Amino acid sequence: MKTINTDVLVIGSGAAGISTALKAAYDGHSVIVVDKDKYLGGTSAISGGWAWVPGNKQGVAQGDTREEAETYIKHLAGASYDAAAVGSFLDTVPEAMSFFEDDAGIEFTYPEKAPDYRMDASGAKVSGRAVTVPAADARMLGRNRLRVQPYLLSYTVFGYMPEIGPDIAMFLKANQNLKAFRYAARKLTKTWIETILHKRAYDRTNGNALMTRLIAAADEAGIRMWTSTTADEILRDQSGVVTGARISGEHSGEIRAELGVVIAAGGFSGNADLRKKYFPHDPAGTNHTTPTIGHEGDSLRLAQPFGGHIDDSPHQPASWGPVTVFHGLRGQKRWFPHLRAFGLPGLIAVDRDGVRFANESLSYHDYGVEMIKNDKDREGTFGWIIADQKAMHRYGIGYAKPWPFPQTYFRRSGFLHKAPTVTALAKEIGVPADRLQATLDEFNAGAARGEDPKFHRGSNWFHHFKGDVEHKPNPNLAPIDKGPYYAVKIEMGDLGTYAGLAVNTRSEVLDDDNQPVPGLYAVGTAAVSVFGGGYPGYGANIGPAMVLGYRTGRDIARHAAERAALTATNSSPRTAEASSGKAKNV
């Protein structure tokens, strides 16, 4: 069997894995990254690409304090708060951000407003914690240009992924004014021409832009990145120290990793057996769907032989997100995560009884919590987004694009339902017509005044950020009263697990006795979340992935040196005499 030598082996090529690899490589260590997928980037590449990193330079300049960040996280985590883990994360943020910007050359954008998701909580901030990256030209990838995970197709506008911020705002106005229409037309035309000529457009946005920049930096640092390569088994020596892994696929053999192995292979939301155990709403493994990539429990599979186990202490086992499942024209299964859409004016969500059960302008995670709570002890976790012709014409509903795009395809795919009246729509989707009409009447009465007495939708900065800031008097509210009427089914999904491999504050995997497995680490959604089940803001998965990945890459050589020194001390003749009770001068 072929043996490949390296200093560090990283399993998984998302933001956590590449961040770990980058820091280790910049410190002079050889690194190999392996990924079982045929593309690099994992779920990070199809994400929004934000990173929640309190303590960054913008926040510090605006007066954000460590105490405020801790207070905010503690509020969201509740009884699941882990002060040591949170402290380790916050300690590392400034140093990690300096490394990515100054050494690795990753360009970040510090938006004027990027509100925390729970603006009602103590310590929340309107800006200074969430950062993103500007659009990237994929030609910086060189030979790796086509190796990055493509966008989630259902999230694009005919192949183009609008950039979160002014770019997507222009797309939302494309059917309302000529300037925005021309803007969108230019973007789409450029995308189509480049796709025809070069297989994929050069412009990369959101999570694809982040991973484009990280992978370009990794390639420049000399990191070997192997795709279609599965880590089958992690290896260790007779003393119990992890020494590498056995791999198969496009590259096969044994990798000997002198300093250690880092698991960054994602969580387990794609594994029905593990969902049955850890997702209370999915006891049969059939009540959940995930758009994540590669989150099939490989991280646990690899660590389990050494006592690696799932830490399910977070009060929510995953970062939730309502998802619509539908089918493409060729019958392929598709997903659309509703991360923003139904906070817009003229859209609400109801349960199977036709009743609103939560504030639609909550974060996707917090709305998911309410969905699970509302459907507890009922068969299936689901609801319906409801809109009228006005909202459909102006905004669309997620994947179902607004006028002038024809609705025929969206209806044929099973994504969109349409009916001329509320009663007819209720019959089509199977909810009580009288309850749905009563819900709309109640909502409309308040929405006409720009108020939501039941759930206070549109009452803070984060709500407004999800709405239409140009809509008055409330960016999140408009009556739903003009037929025809539309509905889209939402089910329970996720953006990655919060329960994960038990680790200590050094990201070392813990065994059944909660002792570190020497030389084995877990970062990203492979490891338990530092936020205790809360979702603080934009990039709550990617922020810790990059920061704790950086820290692991920084410290892995020091940890190996500590182990070597301890081994040398324990094996010295004097130590051996002392341990056997035969030391001299006793």
Side-chain angles (χ1 to χ4, degrees), residues 357-437:
F357 56 89
N359 183 335
E360 297 89 350
S361 290
L362 292 173
S363 74
Y364 35 87
H365 173 71
D366 291 325
Y367 198 85
V369 172
E370 296 303 316
M371 280 183 69
I372 293 171
K373 189 186 305 180
N374 186 66
D375 280 338
K376 185 179 180 181
D377 300 325
R378 301 205 283 189
E379 186 176 349
T381 305
F382 66 92
W384 298 91
I385 300 174
I386 306 294
D388 68 356
Q389 178 62 24
K390 301 190 305 293
M392 188 68 204
H393 182 88
R394 183 160 188 172
Y395 306 113
I397 307 176
Y399 177 64
K401 304 300 183 288
W403 179 89
F405 298 112
Q407 297 167 1
T408 303
Y409 166 71
F410 305 118
R411 295 176 66 190
R412 285 178 58 194
S413 70
F415 184 90
L416 185 69
H417 298 264
K418 177 183 179 181
T421 65
V422 173
T423 299
L425 184 69
K427 182 178 180 180
E428 178 165 332
I429 64 176
V431 305
D434 57 340
R435 300 291 296 277
L436 180 58
Q437 186 63 66

Side-chain angles (χ1 to χ4, degrees), residues 1 12 19 45 65 111 113 130 137 155 162 231 254 286 334 373 526 549 555:
M1 182 177 288
S19 296
T65 67
K113 287 185 177 67
D137 187 329
Y155 234 59
E254 288 187 0
T286 57
R334 288 189 175 177
K373 189 186 305 180
D555 295 344

Side-chain angles (χ1 to χ4, degrees), residues 200-285:
R200 204 184 295 182
Y202 292 140
D203 290 344
R204 305 287 173 85
T205 60
N206 303 333
N208 224 265
L210 173 66
M211 293 313 303
T212 291
R213 293 177 184 277
L214 286 172
I215 290 167
D219 188 53
E220 186 176 345
I223 296 168
R224 288 172 281 180
M225 294 174 282
W226 295 346
T227 51
S228 299
T229 301
T230 300
D232 296 319
E233 179 187 6
I234 290 176
L235 307 173
R236 60 180 173 178
D237 61 21
Q238 292 181 341
S239 64
V241 176
V242 167
T243 57
R246 186 173 294 113
I247 60 172
S248 63
E250 191 170 298
H251 298 267
S252 61
E254 288 187 0
I255 297 179
R256 290 181 180 172
E258 182 72 21
L259 302 179
V261 174
V262 182
I263 300 175
F268 58 83
S269 55
N271 185 306
D273 289 334
L274 292 174
R275 291 201 309 270
K276 292 178 191 178
K277 186 174 182 180
Y278 295 107
F279 287 11
H281 70 279
D282 195 20

Side-chain angles (χ1 to χ4, degrees), residues 231-553:
D232 296 319
E233 179 187 6
I234 290 176
L235 307 173
R236 60 180 173 178
D237 61 21
Q238 292 181 341
S239 64
V241 176
V242 167
T243 57
R246 186 173 294 113
I247 60 172
S248 63
E250 191 170 298
H251 298 267
S252 61
E254 288 187 0
I255 297 179
R256 290 181 180 172
E258 182 72 21
L259 302 179
V261 174
V262 182
I263 300 175
F268 58 83
S269 55
N271 185 306
D273 289 334
L274 292 174
R275 291 201 309 270
K276 292 178 191 178
K277 186 174 182 180
Y278 295 107
F279 287 11
H281 70 279
D282 195 20
T286 57
N287 187 37
H288 190 91
T289 185
T290 181
T292 58
I293 295 170
H295 289 226
E296 296 161 356
D298 288 354
S299 298
L300 177 61
R301 171 181 62 80
L302 290 166
Q304 216 162 18
F306 312 106
H309 58 280
I310 296 294
D311 179 347
D312 62 350
S313 60
H315 61 78
Q316 298 298 323
S319 52
W320 307 123
V323 173
T324 297
V325 182
F326 62 105
H327 294 88
L329 290 177
R330 295 187 297 274
Q332 68 274 39
K333 190 175 182 180
R334 288 189 175 177
W335 301 263
F336 185 89
H338 291 274
L339 307 186
R340 178 179 186 268
F342 58 110
L344 290 163
L347 290 87
I348 62 169
V350 300
D351 62 11
R352 70 193 75 197
D353 298 321
V355 176
R356 291 177 73 209
F357 56 89
N359 183 335
E360 297 89 350
S361 290
L362 292 173
S363 74
Y364 35 87
H365 173 71
D366 291 325
Y367 198 85
V369 172
E370 296 303 316
M371 280 183 69
I372 293 171
K373 189 186 305 180
N374 186 66
D375 280 338
K376 185 179 180 181
D377 300 325
R378 301 205 283 189
E379 186 176 349
T381 305
F382 66 92
W384 298 91
I385 300 174
I386 306 294
D388 68 356
Q389 178 62 24
K390 301 190 305 293
M392 188 68 204
H393 182 88
R394 183 160 188 172
Y395 306 113
I397 307 176
Y399 177 64
K401 304 300 183 288
W403 179 89
F405 298 112
Q407 297 167 1
T408 303
Y409 166 71
F410 305 118
R411 295 176 66 190
R412 285 178 58 194
S413 70
F415 184 90
L416 185 69
H417 298 264
K418 177 183 179 181
T421 65
V422 173
T423 299
L425 184 69
K427 182 178 180 180
E428 178 165 332
I429 64 176
V431 305
D434 57 340
R435 300 291 296 277
L436 180 58
Q437 186 63 66
T439 294
L440 290 175
D441 291 343
E442 178 186 34
F443 176 80
N444 290 344
R449 305 188 303 269
E451 299 174 359
D452 177 19
K454 188 171 186 179
F455 293 116
H456 308 291
R457 177 171 157 186
S459 60
N460 65 47
W461 274 108
F462 175 66
H463 295 178
H464 295 175
F465 210 66
K466 288 187 68 178
D468 179 353
V469 293
E470 295 183 359
H471 178 79
K472 307 297 180 185
N474 189 316
N476 302 100
L477 297 172
I480 304 170
D481 55 11
K482 182 180 179 181
Y485 295 88
Y486 300 85
V488 169
K489 187 175 185 180
I490 51 174
E491 302 176 44
M492 203 60 252
D494 71 283
L495 282 72
T497 44
Y498 269 174
L501 288 173
V503 295
N504 59 18
T505 57
R506 295 170 24 142
S507 293
E508 293 172 307
V509 173
L510 301 179
D511 64 17
D512 289 326
D513 296 320
N514 286 321
Q515 296 300 308
V517 178
L520 186 62
Y521 302 81
V523 292
T525 50
V528 63
S529 170
V530 300
F531 296 138
Y535 202 103
Y538 295 94
N541 286 329
I542 288 180
M546 295 183 68
V547 170
L548 301 181
Y550 160 84
R551 190 195 59 193
T552 302

